Coordinates of all heavy atoms in Angstrom, one line a residue:
Chain A
A131 N 61.2 5.1 -45.6 CA 60.6 3.9 -45.1 C 60.0 3.1 -46.2 O 59.8 3.7 -47.3 CB 59.4 4.3 -44.1
E132 N 59.9 1.8 -46.1 CA 59.4 1.0 -47.1 C 58.0 0.5 -46.8 O 57.1 1.2 -46.7 CB 60.4 -0.1 -47.4 CG 61.7 0.4 -47.9 CD 62.7 -0.7 -48.3 OE1 62.4 -1.9 -48.1 OE2 63.6 -0.4 -49.0
R133 N 57.9 -0.8 -46.6 CA 56.6 -1.3 -46.3 C 56.2 -0.8 -44.9 O 57.0 -0.5 -44.1 CB 56.7 -2.8 -46.2 CG 57.1 -3.5 -47.5 CD 55.9 -4.1 -48.2 NE 56.3 -4.4 -49.6 CZ 55.4 -4.7 -50.5 NH1 54.1 -4.8 -50.2 NH2 55.8 -5.0 -51.8
R134 N 54.9 -0.7 -44.8 CA 54.3 -0.2 -43.5 C 54.8 -1.1 -42.4 O 54.8 -2.3 -42.5 CB 52.8 -0.2 -43.5 CG 52.3 1.0 -44.3 CD 50.8 1.0 -44.3 NE 50.3 2.3 -44.9 CZ 49.1 2.4 -45.4 NH1 48.2 1.5 -45.3 NH2 48.8 3.6 -45.9
G135 N 55.3 -0.5 -41.3 CA 55.7 -1.3 -40.2 C 57.2 -1.7 -40.3 O 57.8 -2.2 -39.4
G136 N 57.8 -1.5 -41.5 CA 59.2 -1.9 -41.8 C 60.1 -0.8 -41.3 O 59.7 0.4 -41.0
A137 N 61.4 -1.2 -41.2 CA 62.4 -0.2 -40.7 C 62.7 0.8 -41.9 O 62.6 0.4 -43.1 CB 63.6 -1.0 -40.2
A138 N 63.2 2.0 -41.5 CA 63.7 2.9 -42.5 C 64.9 2.2 -43.2 O 65.7 1.5 -42.5 CB 64.0 4.2 -41.9
A282 N 48.6 -0.9 -50.8 CA 48.1 -0.7 -49.5 C 49.1 -1.0 -48.5 O 49.1 -0.6 -47.3 CB 46.8 -1.7 -49.3
E283 N 50.2 -1.7 -48.9 CA 51.3 -2.1 -47.9 C 52.3 -1.0 -47.8 O 53.2 -1.1 -47.0 CB 51.9 -3.4 -48.5 CG 51.1 -4.6 -48.6 CD 50.8 -5.1 -47.1 OE1 51.7 -5.2 -46.4 OE2 49.6 -5.4 -46.9
L284 N 52.2 0.0 -48.7 CA 53.3 1.0 -48.7 C 52.9 2.3 -48.0 O 51.8 2.7 -47.9 CB 53.6 1.3 -50.2 CG 54.0 0.2 -51.1 CD1 54.3 0.7 -52.5 CD2 55.2 -0.6 -50.5
H285 N 54.0 2.9 -47.5 CA 53.9 4.2 -46.9 C 53.6 5.2 -48.0 O 54.0 5.1 -49.2 CB 55.2 4.7 -46.2 CG 55.3 4.0 -44.9 ND1 54.7 4.4 -43.7 CD2 56.1 2.9 -44.6 CE1 55.1 3.5 -42.7 NE2 55.9 2.6 -43.2
R286 N 52.9 6.3 -47.7 CA 52.6 7.4 -48.7 C 53.9 8.0 -49.2 O 53.9 8.6 -50.3 CB 51.7 8.4 -48.0 CG 50.4 7.9 -47.7 CD 49.5 7.6 -48.9 NE 48.1 7.2 -48.6 CZ 47.6 6.0 -48.7 NH1 48.4 4.9 -49.0 NH2 46.4 5.7 -48.4

Side-chain angles (χ1 to χ4, degrees):
Chain A
E132 296 187 346
R133 300 256 166 191
R134 282 183 177 161
E283 298 288 316
L284 302 183
H285 285 279
R286 294 292 187 252

